[in-house]
């Protein structure tokens, strides 16, 4: 789970302006990077490959059903 400015950053897909603004935000908070990095690692360690594969499989099933 991504918590903005706590363990990562995200911008809206296909929105160049949003991406650039988020990049500016990331660069403006360099002093927070060590804390952000530790939180991102902690979050990543809680996610198993089984969970990732199951989530991906569910996304594929949903897309197939939508066809």
């Amino acid at each position: 789970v991504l918590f903005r400015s706590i363990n990562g950053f995200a911008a809206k897909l296909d929105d160049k302006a949003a991406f650039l603004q988020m990049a500016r935000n990331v660069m403006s908070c360099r002093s927070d990077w060590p804390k952000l990095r530790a939180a991102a690692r902690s979050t990543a360690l809680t996610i198993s490959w089984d969970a990732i594969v199951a989530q991906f499989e569910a996304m594929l099933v949903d897309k197939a059903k939508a066809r």
Side-chain angles (χ1 to χ4, degrees), residues 2-62:
L2 176 68
F3 296 102
R4 189 175 55 159
S5 301
I6 296 174
N7 65 356
F9 294 88
K12 187 175 177 183
L13 185 63
D14 293 329
D15 186 339
K16 183 179 177 180
F19 176 82
L20 291 173
Q21 183 58 50
M22 189 58 61
R24 285 187 210 92
N25 292 348
V26 171
M27 295 307 294
S28 71
C29 66
R30 290 182 69 136
S31 63
D32 293 335
W33 287 6
K35 184 173 64 172
L36 182 75
R37 185 180 307 113
R41 177 171 169 70
S42 179
T43 299
L45 290 173
T46 68
I47 304 169
S48 71
W49 278 109
D50 288 339
I52 293 168
V53 170
Q55 183 180 15
F56 181 64
E57 181 181 25
M59 289 169 52
L60 292 176
V61 168
D62 285 346

